[in-house]
């Protein structure tokens, strides 16, 4: 599927250096270094509890970190969350899709998508609605615009959540296990929408357990274990020729299922 051209000389849209995150006594991220180039698709894999979700939640300030340096789209996030205005700027440029859909149940699909552009970017109702309908078509649920979330399947709700994130015209998309709450038959429709984003050149950081999807869409795969990046490289390198025993052990467990 690799159809993207990535300019690796371009300034990184994410630059993380020696980042450390603690939950009380628990050291969750340990001196993590990570950079993401515009247009790149980075997939993060690892066992549950390894720090994958915490890592991407630090990128848009949903989790504070205690030490290290984090720069997102040219803006520096400070340790201990000491950058309120900067954080708001980053969140307008970074979209995120979670495990749960987090849609407002009392709002229609269309209103869920148009709310943030109207409130944050001050788009007119007409402009926001036009964008929302275009995005619903893009994720193949244009006919669901007037429905409410509880009238949709899980896969449809997650595609609404994706359209909602895209409505803010982000420069970077984060995905935190976006298919983990879905029934198996609904996973494919969400992954298809993400594949299309990758083809279009969207910069993406994805936490997922879907290994075949990771192999297909990733420019780079990162394996994280107990808060440390153990191995990273192309999908071919990581999946077919892992260098580290921890990586081999993890893949032997997940790929046999």
């Amino acid at each position: 599927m690799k159809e993207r051209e990535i300019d690796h000389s371009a300034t990184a849209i994410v630059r993380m250096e020696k980042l450390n995150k603690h939950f009380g006594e628990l050291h969750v991220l340990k001196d993590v270094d990570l950079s993401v180039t515009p247009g790149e698709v980075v997939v993060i894999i690892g066992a549950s509890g390894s720090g994958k979700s915490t890592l991407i939640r630090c990128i848009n300030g949903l989790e504070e970190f205690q030490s290290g340096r984090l720069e997102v789209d040219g803006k520096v996030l400070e340790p201990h969350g000491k950058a309120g205005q900067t954080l708001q700027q980053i969140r307008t440029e970074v979209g995120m899709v979670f495990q749960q859909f987090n849609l407002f149940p009392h709002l229609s699909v269309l209103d869920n998508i148009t709310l943030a552009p109207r409130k944050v970017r001050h788009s007119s109702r007409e402009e926001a609605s036009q964008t929302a309908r275009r995005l619903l078509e893009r994720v193949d649920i244009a006919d669901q615009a007037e429905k409410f979330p509880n009238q949709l399947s899980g896969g449809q709700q997650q595609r609404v959540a994706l359209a909602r994130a895209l409505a803010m015209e982000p420069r970077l998309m984060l995905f935190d296990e976006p298919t983990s709450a879905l029934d198996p038959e609904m996973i494919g429709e969400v992954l298809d929408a993400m594949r299309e984003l990758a083809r279009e050149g969207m910069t993406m950081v994805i936490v997922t357990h879907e290994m075949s999807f990771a192999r297909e869409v990733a420019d780079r795969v990162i394996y994280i274990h107990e808060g440390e990046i153990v191995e990273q490289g192309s999908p071919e390198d990581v999946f077919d020729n892992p260098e580290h025993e921890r990586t081999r052990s993890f893949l032997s467990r997940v790929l046999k299922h």
Side-chain angles (χ1 to χ4, degrees):
M1 176 187 148
K2 307 296 191 309
E3 302 171 2
R4 299 174 304 279
E5 291 291 333
I6 300 170
D7 180 5
H8 288 284
S9 67
T11 301
I13 193 167
V14 176
R15 192 183 305 277
M16 186 179 290
E17 298 173 356
K18 302 297 181 186
L19 189 135
N20 286 273
K21 165 69 180 174
H22 298 261
F23 288 118
E25 297 296 315
L26 185 62
H27 197 172
V28 183
L29 296 175
K30 305 169 184 174
D31 286 334
V32 172
D33 293 329
L34 173 66
S35 64
V36 180
T37 302
E40 188 178 20
V41 176
V42 176
V43 175
I44 303 174
I45 63 173
S48 296
S50 59
K52 309 183 302 297
S53 295
T54 301
L55 190 155
I56 65 165
R57 287 169 67 88
C58 285
I59 293 174
N60 68 348
L62 287 175
E63 295 289 354
E64 299 176 5
F65 59 99
Q66 279 70 51
S67 66
R69 177 178 172 83
L70 177 56
E71 185 176 325
V72 182
D73 197 20
K75 303 171 184 69
V76 176
L77 269 173
E78 301 288 343
H80 304 288
K82 298 175 182 175
Q85 187 63 35
T86 300
L87 183 56
Q88 291 306 313
Q89 293 173 342
I90 287 172
R91 286 179 177 168
T92 63
E93 304 296 336
V94 179
M96 187 159 182
V97 177
F98 301 86
Q99 298 176 34
Q100 303 299 328
F101 320 125
N102 296 332
L103 301 175
F104 293 109
H106 63 291
L107 297 181
S108 69
V109 165
L110 194 66
D111 287 340
N112 264 282
I113 297 171
T114 60
L115 182 63
R118 289 173 55 209
K119 297 292 186 183
V120 178
R121 295 196 181 275
H122 307 293
S123 299
S124 67
R125 181 181 292 274
E126 181 180 0
E127 180 186 6
S129 294
Q130 288 177 350
T131 299
R133 291 185 185 280
R134 175 174 53 80
L135 290 171
L136 287 171
E137 187 170 343
R138 185 174 172 184
V139 298
D140 202 26
I141 48 171
D143 56 342
Q144 307 298 319
E146 308 304 331
K147 291 186 178 179
F148 289 84
N150 65 4
Q151 296 175 295
L152 306 180
S153 70
Q156 289 172 327
Q157 290 187 61
Q158 192 62 298
R159 283 183 284 165
V160 173
L162 175 55
R164 179 180 60 183
L166 292 173
M168 291 294 286
E169 300 179 349
R171 297 195 63 225
L172 168 67
M173 282 291 297
L174 308 176
F175 294 86
D176 185 7
E177 299 189 27
T179 60
S180 64
L182 300 178
D183 293 333
E185 65 270 19
M186 297 175 184
I187 290 173
E189 59 194 51
V190 174
L191 296 182
D192 283 345
M194 294 170 65
R195 286 185 184 96
E196 188 59 32
L197 275 185
R199 290 190 189 98
E200 293 170 1
M202 174 63 75
T203 311
M204 303 162 72
V205 181
I206 305 168
V207 171
T208 185
H209 291 293
E210 302 291 335
M211 295 299 153
S212 61
F213 173 74
R215 181 190 287 269
E216 178 186 353
V217 304
D219 298 299
R220 181 160 42 113
V221 175
I222 292 174
Y223 170 62
I224 187 168
H225 175 77
E226 294 183 354
E228 297 180 276
I229 292 178
V230 173
E231 186 156 359
Q232 61 180 305
S234 71
E236 294 75 21
D237 288 341
V238 173
F239 287 113
D240 298 334
N241 298 291
E243 294 182 1
H244 295 272
E245 176 55 36
R246 287 175 176 171
T247 315
R248 290 193 289 270
S249 175
F250 170 76
L251 291 174
S252 70
R253 294 195 305 273
V254 299
L255 294 179
K256 68 182 179 182
H257 294 296

